Amino acid sequence: MISGEVAKEASDTGRLRPMDTGQFNKREHWLSFAPGLHIEHRSLLRDMEFLDFTAAEQESFAAQLKEEGYIQGIADWGVDTDLMAGAARSLSAAGLSPVFAYMYDEFWYPFFRLHRLYEALLGEGYCLLPDFWVWNVDPKKGEAGWKPHRDRNRDALREDGSPKSISTWIPLSRATPLNGCIYIVPAHLDATYGTAEENKRQFEYPSIRALPGAPGDFFMWNQALLHWGGKSSPRATESRVSIGFELQRTDVPAFNSPLINPLRVLSFEERLKLIAKQIYQYRQNYELDPKVAQFASDLVAQSALAPAPVRKTAPAERYSNDPATWGKVGRNEPCPCDSGKKYKQCHGRQAQG
């Protein structure tokens, strides 16, 4: 589904032509990657029906989310997931981040469909956060999902253990151990979950749980749960394509801005600004074409969106014996070396010296 000219050049030269970001503001440019998908197709979204979940199902999901930190369900999205996966792969083949797939209506559709369940888990008036992504984990390139991390740590939990915010992850192709499915440590098996020690890993390896999935599955977890995407194998038969979105309650302070009305159809221009924000705040995770990086930076700066800080996806990736993994440590934080001292009284003193 990649345009013929780009595909031919990639095949003939092994590399893509220079990026023309001037095309990014044109609808036809994005539709050329996925002629069967839509942008601001009002009737498609107007005719959508919410998925129904019984009261018993909602209660069961809420209980599991508190105990294990995640849930898994099955849904009929009412859209062509093969076509969606193809669009993400076409964008990747053109050297573009697959997160640009959120230009299409269909990539918002599953989250609209889950509205009733989100209300049950987060309360009426919940919002979408401006934090989302599309993954195309290519086994031919030896790619992997994001490293072990907690999306927002224990700050995302209420006092009773229920979530202030959740992440939703939806596979558009088969997700298996060979192409990088999700792995989690269930909350009740993670000794440091929800504690001040959450950056330490004190779980038993047999507690790790693989979450293989297929189109029609959905996974949600609270944002204190430790999880990651696996590394792909060359024996995998296809790339792993998936989409994710973060959501939060509205009776707590916003974790990021702007919060998004979950039932509002965003305009072409609004989608492009939000996508630019994602590229900008996750820029440390991927090698970006310099022109795309500049386009995202300029659009964020010019828009009404607040400048996006770099979003770290692996705050749990600190190893006590490797200061190179510690990142920036606050002077009054516990020293990551596990000495029991404050950083300023331990390795921080060495760094200053």
Side-chain angles (χ1 to χ4, degrees):
M1 288 165 42
I2 184 173
S3 63
E5 183 179 352
V6 175
K8 183 178 186 302
E9 183 164 354
S11 174
D12 292 345
T13 68
R15 58 187 178 86
L16 299 175
R17 63 187 179 187
M19 194 68 64
D20 181 7
T21 57
Q23 298 295 314
F24 288 7
N25 293 304
K26 300 178 181 179
R27 293 169 188 260
E28 57 270 23
H29 173 70
W30 300 112
L31 291 173
S32 71
F33 292 101
L37 299 182
H38 306 83
I39 298 176
E40 286 190 274
H41 195 278
R42 300 285 171 169
S43 62
L44 176 71
L45 299 170
R46 184 186 63 237
D47 298 337
M48 176 203 61
E49 295 182 358
F50 300 134
L51 294 167
D52 284 326
F53 296 91
T54 66
E57 287 175 324
Q58 293 177 9
E59 291 175 5
S60 176
F61 279 139
Q64 184 182 345
L65 200 56
K66 286 178 66 174
E67 179 184 0
E68 298 194 329
Y70 82 102
I71 59 176
Q72 177 177 358
I74 299 175
D76 177 2
W77 301 126
V79 289
D80 189 335
T81 54
D82 286 341
L83 194 59
M84 293 167 67
R89 289 170 176 145
S90 291
L91 290 166
S92 294
L96 291 165
S97 169
V99 76
F100 278 108
Y102 275 104
M103 294 301 301
Y104 309 114
D105 299 336
E106 285 81 357
F107 281 77
W108 299 80
Y109 204 87
F111 307 104
F112 290 160
R113 293 270 283 162
L114 289 166
H115 174 66
R116 298 297 184 209
L117 183 54
Y118 289 139
E119 282 191 322
L121 299 176
L122 295 173
E124 295 183 6
Y126 74 92
C127 283
L128 297 172
L129 278 156
D131 298 303
F132 53 85
W133 202 254
V134 179
W135 294 265
N136 178 34
V137 178
D138 189 347
K140 293 181 180 179
K141 299 178 181 178
E143 293 179 339
W146 287 355
K147 294 179 180 180
H149 65 286
R150 306 180 195 271
D151 291 328
R152 297 188 192 279
N153 297 329
R154 66 187 186 280
D155 293 340
L157 297 175
R158 304 170 83 193
E159 289 186 4
D160 66 354
S162 62
K164 296 178 184 177
S165 57
I166 59 177
S167 298
T168 303
W169 187 86
I170 298 173
L172 300 179
S173 65
R174 292 193 63 82
T176 71
L178 288 181
N179 67 3
C181 70
I182 293 293
Y183 293 82
I184 59 119
V185 180
H188 66 296
L189 300 177
D190 182 353
T192 63
Y193 168 86
T195 74
E197 303 285 295
E198 62 191 352
N199 281 340
K200 298 179 181 178
R201 297 182 189 164
Q202 296 179 359
F203 58 85
E204 297 180 351
Y205 288 119
S207 298
I208 295 173
R209 189 170 297 176
L211 300 181
D217 291 338
F218 66 87
F219 302 85
M220 297 181 192
W221 51 80
N222 71 54
Q223 297 199 302
L225 188 79
L226 182 62
H227 64 284
W228 61 94
K231 185 172 179 60
S232 62
S233 162
R235 293 189 292 113
T237 58
E238 63 176 346
S239 65
R240 185 262 277 173
V241 181
S242 56
I243 58 177
F245 226 116
E246 300 182 18
L247 309 91
Q248 76 159 81
R249 302 177 62 92
T250 51
D251 57 0
V252 298
F255 285 112
N256 200 353
S257 63
L259 295 179
I260 305 165
N261 182 330
L263 299 182
R264 180 167 168 261
V265 179
L266 299 183
S267 68
F268 174 92
E269 293 75 17
E270 289 172 316
R271 297 180 197 186
L272 195 57
K273 289 176 182 178
L274 284 168
I275 290 168
K277 183 180 176 79
Q278 306 316 299
I279 291 173
Y280 191 71
Q281 69 185 4
Y282 291 116
R283 61 192 180 276
Q284 83 288 354
N285 288 357
Y286 297 95
E287 183 178 351
L288 292 174
D289 181 287
K291 291 186 177 180
V292 175
Q294 189 62 52
F295 173 85
S297 178
D298 291 346
L299 194 56
V300 168
Q302 295 167 10
S303 73
L305 301 174
V310 173
R311 178 82 184 276
K312 295 181 179 180
T313 59
E317 273 292 294
R318 285 180 176 175
Y319 294 95
S320 60
N321 61 351
D322 185 3
T325 67
W326 295 355
K328 184 176 181 179
V329 183
R331 295 182 69 250
N332 291 311
E333 286 185 44
C335 189
C337 74
D338 294 342
S339 66
K341 299 178 181 179
K342 290 184 178 181
Y343 181 67
K344 66 183 180 183
Q345 297 168 336
C346 191
H347 278 77
R349 179 181 299 171
Q350 299 173 22
Q352 292 176 355

